[in-house]
Amino acid sequence: MLNKFDIQIRAEQEYAVLETAGYLNDSLGEQLSKKAQELIEKGYTQLVINLDKTALINSIGISILIEIIEALDERNGTLNFCGLSATQERTFRMMAIAKYAGIFPDEKTAIANF
Amino acid sequence: MENAVLMDEVCLTIPMDHDMELVAAKTGSVLAELNHFNEEQIEEIQYAIIETCINAFEHSQSEDRKVYIIYIRRADELECKITDNGVGFTPEDQHNSISQRQGIHSDMRKRGWGLEITKTLMDEFDIESGENGTTVSFIKKVTS
């Protein structure tokens, strides 16, 4: 239950995938935001955040995800999420995130839908 | 009659420290497993506990910096009562707090979701708040 977290990045030519592991709270959220900003500054405007290994997210973590959506919005970019649990997806839809970012079951589908 | 269905009552006190909400959520998750909630319901209970604890951490301004949780396990439901000894809040306080946290898109506000998430995920929800603190209570019912 200890919160060990990690972020893996897979950057391809057209897009990049950020895969999180652990509890997505303010700490992991800030690290994720930093890595997403670095990718955006390198010119990536199509990002996938894979939450398959993130069992729990709190609303502070989600607020940081919204900041990443907004940063991509400013560059006409797109953020697609994948690997969400049913509760996470329900929460994201409640918070209107699904209006401004894609939600897909897996990484392959998330990439195919840019 | 209430005693007939009461199976367990567990009390937990957590400090308002980083990630302590996970301790509360894990305890709730174990009790929910004992009550044969399904995986999705257990996750919903964890989210409700996490959000309510974080709300207390962030907004209660309690001097003792502690959150008191009572888990009441009954045959067909789990009730959580989460209390802080803080300054309390009114619906107006909550509205003002939300208004200050809008992002670029007004319908995708960044903060102020905790209680709404909890209310949506649980079957029953109640708040008692006053100058001596706040208690958020919620119930999740076992459904097959």
Side-chain angles (χ1 to χ4, degrees):
Chain A
M1 195 63 195
L2 283 176
N3 187 27
K4 292 179 180 172
F5 52 74
D6 184 38
I7 302 167
Q8 297 291 324
I9 298 174
R10 293 183 287 281
E12 302 294 335
Q13 201 169 351
E14 300 290 325
Y15 63 87
V17 178
L18 298 104
E19 184 178 25
T20 60
Y23 176 40
L24 183 44
N25 56 5
D26 52 341
S27 306
L28 179 57
E30 292 296 348
Q31 289 193 30
L32 181 63
S33 174
K34 193 179 164 200
K35 291 191 185 296
Q37 288 296 343
E38 286 169 5
L39 288 164
I40 292 168
E41 278 163 25
K42 283 181 187 168
Y44 285 95
T45 55
Q46 295 182 322
L47 299 182
V48 171
I49 296 182
N50 185 341
L51 297 169
D52 193 41
K53 294 176 184 163
T54 288
L56 292 170
I57 304 174
N58 69 26
S59 54
I60 305 173
I62 298 177
S63 73
I64 294 169
L65 297 178
I66 291 173
E67 288 174 6
I68 299 172
I69 294 171
E70 291 176 344
L72 280 166
D73 259 10
E74 286 170 3
R75 299 178 190 225
N76 295 318
T78 306
L79 178 60
N80 285 345
F81 291 99
C82 67
L84 278 73
S85 69
T87 307
Q88 288 167 354
E89 183 169 340
R90 192 172 164 194
T91 307
F92 277 35
R93 292 193 185 281
M94 187 199 312
M95 295 173 72
I97 288 175
K99 277 178 73 177
Y100 304 101
I103 296 178
F104 299 96
D106 54 55
E107 199 172 300
K108 196 177 166 188
T109 321
I111 291 165
N113 277 277
F114 279 125
Chain B
M1 186 62 190
E2 269 190 23
N3 285 338
V5 292
L6 177 66
M7 295 165 73
D8 290 307
E9 189 171 299
V10 174
C11 300
L12 175 71
T13 303
I14 56 168
M16 293 183 175
D17 286 338
H18 202 250
D19 285 352
M20 278 297 119
E21 70 276 13
L22 287 177
V23 176
K26 181 67 180 173
T27 305
S29 144
V30 171
L31 291 167
E33 266 185 65
L34 290 172
N35 252 31
H36 306 292
F37 281 93
N38 67 36
E39 205 175 307
E40 189 176 334
Q41 292 170 325
I42 292 171
E43 193 185 0
E44 289 171 349
I45 290 166
Q46 290 191 92
Y47 274 91
I49 294 169
I50 285 171
E51 291 303 326
T52 308
C53 288
I54 286 174
N55 245 15
F57 292 7
E58 286 198 305
H59 304 298
S60 70
Q61 301 173 46
S62 80
E63 286 183 9
D64 67 0
R65 303 294 298 157
K66 285 178 182 166
V67 174
Y68 305 87
I69 305 146
I70 303 173
Y71 306 86
I72 304 161
R73 192 164 76 91
R74 302 189 187 93
D76 57 351
E77 64 185 31
L78 179 67
E79 179 173 7
C80 298
K81 292 173 184 270
I82 301 181
T83 300
D84 65 66
N85 293 330
V87 296
F89 68 92
T90 63
E92 197 179 36
D93 292 336
Q94 198 188 358
H95 175 76
N96 291 339
S97 168
I98 288 168
S99 304
Q100 290 164 11
R101 291 165 176 191
Q102 303 286 9
I104 292 173
H105 305 288
S106 60
D107 56 346
M108 191 174 64
R109 66 172 195 262
K110 291 180 191 167
R111 301 299 312 280
W113 284 99
L115 292 177
E116 208 167 324
I117 290 170
T118 303
K119 207 172 182 177
T120 303
L121 296 177
M122 297 295 105
D123 295 307
E124 291 179 29
F125 177 85
D126 185 52
I127 302 177
E128 285 177 39
S129 193
E131 59 187 21
N132 296 320
T134 299
T135 297
V136 175
S137 307
F138 49 83
I139 293 175
K140 187 74 180 173
K141 295 182 183 298
V142 180
T143 51
S144 50

